[in-house]
Amino acid sequence: MSNPSVTGTLPSLLTSAHARLEKSFLEGGAALVSVTEIINSLMEIMNRLTGFFDGQTSRKTIDGLRRTVCDLALLPSLAETRQTSFKQITDLCDSARDHVADMREIIRYLGTFAITVKITGAGLAEFSGFAEEIRERIQSGASEIGRFAEQLNGMHQQLDTARNFADGVLTEFQDTIPAIVASLEASSANLTREHQAMAAVAQEVKSIASGIQGKVATVLSALQIGDITRQRLEHVQSSLEFLDEHLAASGSFSNGDAERVKQAILHLAHAQLTDTLADFRQKCAAIFQTISSFTTDAARILALRDEMKEEDESLLHKMQADIRRACGLSQRVQERSQESDGLVSSVTQTAQQLLEGIETIRAIKTDIHYMALNSNLRCSRLGDAGRSVNVVSGELRTFAAKLETPADAIVEDMRKVEQATMTLTTDEAGDIDHIHEPLQCALDALETVSTQMDEGLGEFSAQGQQVFSRINAAVSKLDFKDQLADMLQSCLDRLEPQLAERPATHDLEPLMGHLSQRIFAIYTMAQERALHQQLLPFAKTSEPAPSTATAQDDDELLAAALF
């Protein structure tokens, strides 16, 4: 250690300055490395987001939504087609009911004629059984027509239920589907534009982050001033130690010579410290200017984060709400459509049963016709006695034949009912039952997109905040200009009271040539050597320096010292 009687407390102050420099720059470097790590992480997130916006996922989602919109847009027309089919069947059913009424009226007349036959043929043994048989057949026909009417009424009730369903579905579709379709169409177009805008925002974030990376690299490079300053302090410390050793070894020096040597070295130390402080302030000012811009960059990243999040939330959530409404509608339609399909099947079966019933009525009509014909033949053989029964039997044949016309009309109506129900079971209206499938697929895809977006933006939000926090921390740790510069200034302030007039150098070489050369040999920077030669021009630059400084230029020496 140096002798306090020569250099006072300056060496301990230099040691303290050296330690603070080393600690501050290590912490500052660590803060910058931390900023680099968080920026790299942010860049990865932005790469994923921009890849998502520019990639297939977004386009597939939008294409799927547009297909779903097309499917939804068809629903009102499909529901109207089904409603039209049900109305057609109902109209046919009403027509058949009218024909049934005609048949009932004919049967009523036939019943009247059967009573007349019984009355007119009361005295004729040949017609005693005929009247009863014809009455039974007519009653049988009436019963069949009654059952037929009941089945027809049942089918009509089923059709009323089906039509109510169709009316409800059509009304619900007309009230909701156009609005949902319009909203989804607008949202799909907006989503494309929004993703393009968000991609641009993400690209700007990447550009800012890349700029921060470049600035961090610049600052990390500029932090070499810390190592340079630390080494120069070490060199000043060593020069003072060498001075103490030199004076202690040169006991033959007069007080005047010893003072001249001391002043020469103290002035050299002062010059080196002054030059070091000037460089330090200049470099730290540049560092602080660069890192001060970090705060603006970080604030811009946060603003872009908020802008991107605000853009995303409203649209994606609105689209999901629209499709959930459509999904709920399709679910209700599917449940009610299954009931409708059951009704269609029941109507088809009823139509088949009615056709079978018509054939039964026709068979009864044929029986009545032939029974009446037989009666006519018998009456012809009886002559005048059978004339009245003959007239009534002719009327029976005539009215029985009239059953054929409404029966044929009913058969025609039932054939049309079969065709209409077949159309209901095979037309595109059946797609209503499955519309929930593409809707659910679109909703799943949209939720996947939303989840990916939420995750990406959530990571961006968290990382953006960390970037801001770490940059603020780094700015506070890298503000060397005032505190550390003041510390170096205090070293100068401690040295200056010890300075007297700088001695002439023309006759100093015999007194301190070896000391000067020993100090010169420890320098690692050309700037130090130039300043030394300016104050002590007898330093031998050609003399081999220690191994740490031989055969290396200044850049190599600096690199060796710093790394």
Side-chain angles (χ1 to χ4, degrees):
M1 294 293 297
S2 59
N3 185 349
S5 63
V6 178
T7 56
T9 59
L10 179 60
S12 62
L13 189 59
L14 288 171
T15 299
S16 175
H18 181 281
R20 285 188 61 187
L21 269 173
E22 186 172 34
K23 182 177 183 294
S24 296
F25 275 83
L26 283 175
E27 290 177 350
L32 284 177
V33 169
S34 175
V35 169
T36 300
E37 291 172 350
I38 201 70
I39 288 294
N40 289 339
S41 179
L42 179 63
M43 291 287 280
E44 291 177 4
I45 294 170
M46 289 298 101
N47 286 332
R48 288 200 299 274
L49 278 177
T50 51
F52 169 74
F53 294 136
D54 297 335
Q56 294 297 318
T57 304
S58 178
R59 285 193 290 273
K60 285 181 179 178
T61 301
I62 293 170
D63 291 343
L65 281 174
R66 286 174 177 162
R67 286 193 298 271
T68 299
V69 166
C70 292
D71 292 338
L72 284 173
L74 293 175
L75 289 184
S77 63
L78 292 176
E80 188 170 0
T81 298
R82 174 163 280 198
Q83 184 194 44
T84 301
S85 296
F86 281 132
K87 185 178 184 304
Q88 179 185 3
I89 296 173
T90 301
D91 291 342
L92 291 170
C93 187
D94 288 337
S95 174
R97 291 169 80 180
D98 291 340
H99 297 310
V100 167
D102 292 341
M103 292 174 70
R104 278 180 158 166
E105 185 66 16
I106 293 170
I107 284 291
R108 188 179 66 80
Y109 277 109
L110 287 173
T112 301
F113 287 128
I115 294 172
T116 303
V117 168
K118 187 173 183 178
I119 294 171
T120 56
L124 300 173
E126 290 86 350
F127 295 101
S128 60
F130 168 74
E132 189 62 31
E133 288 178 4
I134 200 74
R135 188 182 68 81
E136 289 178 357
R137 293 307 291 161
I138 290 171
Q139 286 181 344
S140 175
S143 297
E144 280 299 323
I145 292 173
R147 281 194 296 272
F148 188 93
E150 288 179 2
Q151 289 180 318
L152 199 58
N153 287 334
M155 185 169 75
H156 198 281
Q157 291 175 355
Q158 293 172 340
L159 289 168
D160 286 342
T161 301
R163 287 184 66 187
N164 288 334
F165 159 78
D167 286 340
V169 169
L170 181 59
T171 299
E172 193 164 16
F173 280 175
Q174 289 173 338
D175 290 344
T176 59
I177 293 298
I180 293 175
V181 167
S183 179
L184 285 175
E185 284 179 339
S187 296
S188 296
N190 290 338
L191 185 62
T192 301
R193 290 192 294 270
E194 182 182 273
H195 279 190
Q196 291 173 347
M198 293 175 77
V201 171
Q203 195 61 46
E204 184 178 352
V205 172
K206 288 173 61 178
S207 177
I208 294 173
S210 178
I212 293 176
Q213 286 178 320
K215 292 176 181 179
V216 168
T218 298
V219 174
L220 282 171
S221 177
L223 287 185
Q224 291 178 351
I225 187 61
D227 288 315
I228 291 171
T229 302
R230 178 177 52 80
Q231 288 188 62
R232 294 190 72 173
L233 289 179
E234 290 175 355
H235 298 162
V236 171
Q237 284 180 292
S238 297
S239 67
L240 295 178
E241 290 174 0
F242 294 166
L243 170 62
D244 287 339
E245 293 172 4
H246 184 71
L247 292 178
S250 301
S252 58
F253 281 174
S254 65
N255 291 337
D257 289 339
E259 183 61 23
R260 291 180 64 204
V261 169
K262 174 184 173 182
Q263 286 299 320
I265 298 303
L266 290 180
H267 276 279
L268 175 63
H270 185 272
Q272 293 287 10
L273 283 175
T274 300
D275 190 62
T276 298
L277 178 58
D279 282 350
F280 185 81
R281 281 178 169 156
Q282 179 184 1
K283 292 293 193 302
C284 284
I287 290 172
F288 188 75
Q289 182 178 1
T290 301
I291 63 173
S292 294
S293 67
F294 286 5
T295 304
T296 302
D297 293 337
R300 178 57 181 159
I301 288 176
L302 289 184
L304 291 171
R305 176 202 65 182
D306 295 340
E307 177 183 335
M308 186 180 289
K309 187 174 181 181
E310 181 179 350
E311 284 286 339
D312 170 64
E313 283 183 348
S314 57
L315 182 58
L316 283 177
H317 292 169
K318 183 177 184 300
M319 293 176 74
Q320 289 179 79
D322 284 341
I323 297 184
R324 286 195 184 98
R325 285 176 61 206
C327 282
L329 174 61
S330 70
Q331 185 64 34
R332 294 194 300 275
V333 167
Q334 183 181 10
E335 293 169 356
R336 297 168 66 184
S337 184
Q338 289 172 353
E339 178 183 352
S340 175
D341 291 342
L343 291 172
V344 170
S345 176
S346 178
V347 167
T348 303
Q349 293 175 1
T350 302
Q352 288 291 334
Q353 293 169 0
L354 289 172
L355 286 171
E356 293 172 2
I358 285 295
E359 294 306 316
T360 301
I361 293 170
R362 274 179 164 165
I364 293 172
K365 181 268 300 183
T366 301
D367 289 346
I368 294 172
H369 173 80
Y370 283 111
M371 289 172 70
L373 181 61
N374 287 335
S375 175
N376 287 143
L377 292 175
R378 289 179 184 179
C379 288
S380 296
R381 291 196 296 269
L382 291 174
D384 290 340
R387 184 175 298 165
S388 59
V389 175
N390 192 25
V391 172
V392 176
S393 297
E395 292 295 326
L396 280 172
R397 287 171 58 197
T398 300
F399 273 89
K402 289 183 178 181
L403 285 173
E404 195 68 33
T405 299
D408 287 342
I410 290 173
V411 168
E412 181 63 21
D413 288 340
M414 292 303 103
R415 296 295 185 200
K416 290 179 179 178
V417 167
E418 282 188 318
Q419 292 174 359
T421 55
M422 188 176 298
T423 300
L424 276 173
T425 57
T426 58
D427 68 7
E428 291 182 351
D431 291 342
I432 295 176
D433 300 344
H434 304 287
I435 192 63
H436 70 284
E437 296 171 1
L439 280 172
Q440 190 60 50
C441 289
L443 182 59
D444 291 343
L446 195 62
E447 287 178 343
T448 297
V449 170
S450 182
T451 298
Q452 291 176 343
M453 288 288 296
D454 288 344
E455 290 176 352
L457 291 174
E459 291 178 347
F460 178 27
S461 178
Q463 293 293 77
Q465 188 61 51
Q466 286 193 45
V467 166
F468 189 81
S469 299
R470 293 197 187 183
I471 282 178
N472 281 339
V475 169
S476 64
K477 290 183 180 300
L478 292 169
D479 186 9
F480 308 129
K481 183 169 68 71
D482 293 330
Q483 293 182 359
L484 295 182
D486 289 346
M487 177 192 66
L488 294 176
Q489 182 63 54
S490 67
C491 292
L492 277 171
D493 293 342
R494 186 68 57 85
L495 176 60
E496 285 176 354
Q498 302 181 50
L499 294 178
E501 183 179 356
R502 183 164 67 90
T505 59
H506 64 280
D507 60 348
L508 276 179
E509 183 175 2
L511 298 175
M512 56 177 299
H514 176 71
L515 173 60
S516 174
Q517 195 61 41
R518 186 181 178 192
I519 294 172
F520 191 85
I522 64 175
Y523 296 142
T524 54
M525 283 153 272
Q527 190 172 350
E528 291 177 298
R529 291 191 288 271
L531 188 57
H532 186 107
Q533 287 183 314
Q534 180 181 343
L535 296 178
L536 300 174
F538 46 81
K540 299 293 191 297
T541 58
S542 60
E543 183 177 329
S547 59
T548 56
T550 57
Q552 298 184 51
D553 60 21
D554 291 341
D555 292 336
E556 290 173 332
L557 288 169
L558 178 60
L562 295 178
F563 303 103

